[in-house]
Structure formats: structure tokens, C-alpha cells
Amino acid sequence: MRLVLVGPPGAGKGTQAQFIASNLSIPKISTGDIFRANVSGGTELGKLAKEYMDRGDLVPDEVTIAMVRDRLSESDAQDGFLLDGFPRNVPQAEILKKMLAEFGVALDIVLELVVDDDEVVRRLAGRRTCSQCGRIWHVDFDDKKDDVCDACGGRLYQRDDDKEQTVRHRLEVYQEQTAPLVSFYADEGILVGVDATGPVEEVTQRAMEALGPFTD
Ligand SMILES: [Zn+2]
């Protein structure tokens, strides 16, 4: 199965990507992993990407796309894959479609993890990070009443990334970028939405049920 996973920050996408890929016995291919592999492997694309990253610049689309193409050409991806973090926008989706057509294949499904904004805010803005050991606690899920780390006694704080205003802004950016991508795949007739609220295992189970009709 050739699958793309999309979902907002705080939807547990990384975890679901791993579980779903392992259930389907296909490689999970995330742009983060591809970047790290190219940079640590010292490939030409990795060196190029590193130049941009070292300057604090965004890695250009062409470099990302070339890395994705290389990765999808590897032998373990020939019978299927789960892509996480690519495509990010409609132009990338169109490039991916062409790329796969050149390989003589196509995407089977795009799975969208659906969580409403308030739930994402509850999940992310409730996180508290230990200033000493880095462990993350949650005010609701861990029933954390004080700002002291139960593991090491360090002081807990809220990372800027987890502040409600920042989370809402990230969600807006996500919606702006992803709404057109989601409609693109809806038009292609391969979009499936899965409710991503609730325990991790339940979400995986829902995802597997949604994918059922598409598996052989
Ligand atoms: Zn700690």
C-alpha cells in the first residue's frame, strides 16, 4: 500500500505513522528521517541541505523532492510506503503524483488524522517540560498540580512552542497549507479521514479499519 499521512501538530502523527507502517509491513518514510540520513551519510543532497540549514535557511523544495525520489527508489519501498511530512502543499503533491507515475505506480490512499483545534490546544498547551531532565509532563493527563518534576525534582516550565497563542498560530499555518492539500486528495478520490481523539491504540485501530478496504 502506498500511503500519505497528514494531520495537525499535536495529532500524534509520528506515533501513528510508526504503528500503521508496522501493521502494514511497509517502511515509514518521514522527511525528518530522510534529511538526517542524507546529512549523516554525507550524500551530495545532504551536503547541500546542510549548507541551507547551517545558515538557518529553509531547504529548497528541489532538494527535498530529490531526497524523496531517492528514498522511494530504494528496494524496501517498492511494494509500498507510508509518507509522513511530504507532500506539504499542492505543488509538492503534483510532483509526487508525477514521480510515482514515472515509477509506474500511484498513491492508494491519503489518511487524514482529524482532531479539532481545541483538543490540540488542550494537548499541547498542557505540556510542561522539566528544566533539569527534559521530561515532559501534562497538567491533565498526568494530573500535574505543581510545577516540580516527579522524576528529578527539577522545575517545570511551559516551552514557548507550547503556549496557547503559539499553538493556535501553528494550527492556522497548518490549516492554510494543508486545507488545499486535503481538497486536492479529496478530488482525487483517495482521502480518508480518521478521528484522532482518544487513546493512541484506539486511533491506530480506527486507522486500520479505514484502510481495510484498500489492503489486499
Ligand atoms: Zn526532571
Side-chain angles (χ1 to χ4, degrees):
M1 181 181 294
R2 293 174 182 85
L3 160 79
V4 166
L5 187 65
V6 296
K13 190 158 62 77
T15 310
Q16 291 304 331
Q18 226 147 24
F19 286 166
I20 295 166
S22 107
N23 274 326
L24 294 170
S25 308
I26 52 176
K28 174 195 82 104
I29 299 178
S30 80
T31 37
D33 293 344
I34 300 179
F35 268 59
R36 277 187 291 277
N38 275 278
V39 171
S40 68
T43 67
E44 288 308 312
L45 289 169
K47 284 178 200 160
L48 197 56
K50 195 168 178 301
E51 281 175 30
Y52 287 95
M53 290 188 284
D54 286 347
R55 286 200 302 262
D57 289 334
L58 278 178
V59 177
D61 260 15
E62 310 89 74
V63 178
T64 308
I65 289 159
M67 286 183 183
V68 170
R69 172 186 284 275
D70 281 358
R71 182 63 188 88
L72 292 181
S73 307
E74 285 176 31
S75 58
D76 68 334
Q78 298 318 299
D79 292 330
F81 52 78
L82 182 154
L83 265 178
D84 169 19
F86 187 91
R88 281 204 184 285
N89 50 43
V90 173
Q92 288 186 351
E94 274 161 353
I95 288 164
L96 177 64
K97 190 178 174 182
K98 259 192 225 155
M99 191 192 294
L100 292 176
E102 282 169 34
F103 296 158
V105 296
L107 281 181
D108 295 302
I109 195 164
V110 174
L111 193 70
E112 184 192 14
L113 298 178
V114 181
V115 194
D116 74 36
D117 283 6
D118 289 335
E119 174 63 16
V120 169
V121 170
R122 189 171 87 93
R123 286 185 191 183
L124 295 183
R127 286 155 43 113
R128 297 292 178 273
T129 306
C130 176
S131 54
Q132 214 159 277
C133 73
R135 183 162 167 170
I136 294 166
W137 301 87
H138 197 282
V139 290
D140 295 334
F141 309 144
D142 297 315
D143 195 21
K144 208 70 198 91
K145 303 263 186 273
D146 54 16
D147 58 353
V148 176
C149 175
D150 292 343
C152 77
R155 187 150 294 271
L156 304 184
Y157 73 105
Q158 188 179 35
R159 287 178 41 204
D160 285 342
D161 255 10
D162 294 335
K163 298 237 158 87
E164 172 164 356
Q165 204 188 347
T166 315
V167 173
R168 297 226 179 252
H169 178 69
R170 282 166 67 198
L171 283 169
E172 272 166 33
V173 172
Y174 170 80
Q175 289 302 348
E176 255 169 51
Q177 281 191 336
T178 314
L181 185 64
V182 164
S183 357
F184 174 87
Y185 284 127
D187 290 345
E188 301 254 301
I190 55 171
L191 181 76
V192 172
V194 168
D195 174 12
T197 51
V200 171
E201 316 79 62
E202 277 178 27
V203 176
T204 308
Q205 203 184 334
R206 262 179 239 138
M208 294 313 295
E209 278 163 19
L211 294 174
F214 300 87
T215 49
D216 312 318

